[in-house]
Amino acid sequence: MKKLLCLLLALLMVLPCTACANNGDDTDTTPDSGDATEAGSQEFFPSVKSANYDETFQMVAMQRPVGEWYYAEELTNEVLNDAVYTMNQTVNNYLGVTIQYENITSITTGGEIFSTVSPTIQAGDDAYQCCILHPYYSYNSFIGQNYAYDFYELDSLDLEQPYWNKTVIDSLAINDRAYIALGDFCSYTLNILYVNKNLMKNAGRDMPYDKVRNGSWTQDEFFTLTQGLYIDNDGDGKRNNSDIYGFSGMWDANGSAMLQAADIYVATRNEDGMFELSLEGDRLVDFYEKLFNWSKDESTYIWDYGNKANSEKIAAFLDGHGYFTLESLGIQNLSADFDVGILPLPKYDKNQENYKHVNWGNNIVVPTSIKDPSMVGDVLEMMAYYSRTIVQEAYYDTVLQYKVSNAPDDREMVELIYDTVTYDPGIAFCDGNSGLWNLVYLACFGLTQNKQKIASYLKSNSRTAQKGLDDLFKEK
């Protein structure tokens, strides 16, 4: 019965999603057997053949509970959990594998996955096949000790398909080897703008959906739209967390994401194929000056990470204290008693080609101790495909409740955000490198530490940061 329910759920979720799959050629790519035949009967299907590996595919993650994204133990009638379960079981049945999952819940250093997995790699034990990592913890350790497998060597992976982010995978490669991968299989953390539509309507201000669509939703437009909205709600003549602001929110990694949204990266690849710091030039100066001045505007109210639980500092968006806030895309505002809108982070200017949302969620590493690369590649390819066609659709429609039928504009914005995921080598490799870490958080620390000019901040951190990037390319 459980298997039958799984198949029915797969059909219900996948059949409406044909438009989201990449259009392939006219070749019949329908899988050969069972569950995957029904779940994957679309225009495009991966070229992975049905198999009977009779092997275990062991994943390890930290602070990612069962049923949240990667793995579910059973059907529970919770939509996202059941979508994940369906994805797992469909891959299990199609490839003859058993997907297993370990979630490390106690975190003190951030390096818990590496400390768990590295002894097995050193011993040559094929105990783990996929490590689901934080945005910066442990990549330097895996790569520096030659414990990360090259994704380019996994022949089953079709990195040209939209369920992989090949642009980012290539951008993180070192010496032509891709040690880090991400795609729809990964649980992204994408920082975006939430809007109180009721407050906007009362103020006579329109949601800028059309500006987003025509490419004119820019940093200047955002700053202008959030200004002139301050209300001294308690009438005491002082700005405090009882008042109402054009923008209110904690300012941490979410604020740092404004940097990449403006198409400014901490590190980029140079003509020699190496990573180099790229925080320089008029664009950065202009971006930061405007951001800093906006943070000092009467209508802007921010607090730092250290005050995240301080009831005397927080002016919560959910309690109606902000027209706008900047948070990760998720379910935290579903309980609002007002209409909530979603917008992408603004571009630097109209000439910037695309919106950009840097991933502060998971990426994956495969240990070098794997014994069967074909199995590992097949499983990752199929999980990526079904994450897009099953899990992601469930996330859009039901968990976020942005269905086309009742919030078409916001659903469109969510899809745009997911289609513009980027990453920054500076983030990936800042673990253990204080200079690089400080630069990654430039747009955060600059405001919370009240740095009007950033020249000295850049200078004091750049040497250490660049040395760490250079060391990545030294052959071990």
Side-chain angles (χ1 to χ4, degrees), residues 28-42:
D28 181 9
T29 54
T30 304
D32 298 329
S33 64
D35 301 343
T37 301
E38 299 181 48
S41 55
Q42 302 180 53

Side-chain angles (χ1 to χ4, degrees), residues 49 72 116 232 304:
K49 301 297 183 183
T116 297
D232 184 5
D304 62 20

Side-chain angles (χ1 to χ4, degrees), residues 137-256:
Y137 285 132
S138 296
Y139 300 104
N140 289 341
S141 298
F142 273 103
I143 295 168
Q145 297 191 37
N146 291 320
Y147 285 176
Y149 198 88
D150 182 4
F151 281 93
Y152 291 151
E153 295 297 317
L154 295 175
D155 294 334
S156 301
L157 302 189
D158 187 351
L159 299 180
E160 300 295 334
Q161 296 304 326
Y163 44 80
W164 292 110
N165 194 323
K166 186 177 185 298
T167 300
V168 171
I169 293 171
D170 290 346
S171 75
L172 298 174
I174 297 172
N175 295 327
D176 298 319
R177 292 187 283 272
Y179 299 119
I180 304 170
L182 78 163
D184 291 342
F185 171 62
C186 299
S187 178
Y188 292 151
T189 297
L190 304 175
N191 293 294
I192 57 94
L193 295 169
Y194 283 101
V195 190
N196 185 323
K197 290 184 176 180
N198 296 42
L199 287 179
M200 289 282 283
K201 183 177 180 180
N202 292 341
R205 301 196 180 189
D206 296 327
M207 288 289 292
Y209 294 125
D210 286 339
K211 285 186 170 63
V212 174
R213 294 183 181 107
N214 66 30
S216 62
W217 177 236
T218 64
Q219 188 178 17
D220 288 341
E221 290 284 345
F222 167 61
F223 293 159
T224 299
L225 195 57
T226 60
Q227 291 170 344
L229 296 174
Y230 171 69
I231 300 173
D232 184 5
N233 200 42
D234 58 6
D236 67 354
K238 300 178 181 178
R239 293 174 75 255
N240 56 48
N241 67 334
S242 297
D243 297 338
I244 298 174
Y245 298 88
F247 178 94
S248 68
M250 186 181 75
W251 200 254
D252 191 58
N254 57 337
S256 296

Side-chain angles (χ1 to χ4, degrees), residues 30-91:
T30 304
D32 298 329
S33 64
D35 301 343
T37 301
E38 299 181 48
S41 55
Q42 302 180 53
E43 293 181 21
F44 171 83
F45 191 84
S47 59
V48 174
K49 301 297 183 183
S50 178
N52 186 22
Y53 282 110
D54 193 25
E55 297 180 38
T56 297
F57 184 86
Q58 179 69 54
M59 299 182 286
V60 59
M62 63 182 189
Q63 297 182 318
R64 291 293 185 183
V66 168
E68 184 185 82
W69 193 266
Y70 300 99
Y71 180 77
E73 293 177 339
E74 60 184 355
L75 293 170
T76 64
N77 290 324
E78 295 178 4
V79 172
L80 186 56
N81 175 92
D82 291 358
V84 174
Y85 180 84
T86 300
M87 181 265 288
N88 293 157
Q89 294 303 313
T90 304
V91 176

Side-chain angles (χ1 to χ4, degrees), residues 103-153:
N103 178 40
I104 299 172
T105 58
S106 179
I107 305 299
T108 56
T109 67
E112 282 75 8
I113 289 182
F114 182 75
S115 62
T116 297
V117 173
S118 58
T120 69
I121 300 174
Q122 190 173 21
D125 182 8
D126 185 14
Y128 296 92
Q129 287 74 48
C130 180
C131 300
I132 300 164
L133 299 182
H134 177 275
Y136 54 73
Y137 285 132
S138 296
Y139 300 104
N140 289 341
S141 298
F142 273 103
I143 295 168
Q145 297 191 37
N146 291 320
Y147 285 176
Y149 198 88
D150 182 4
F151 281 93
Y152 291 151
E153 295 297 317

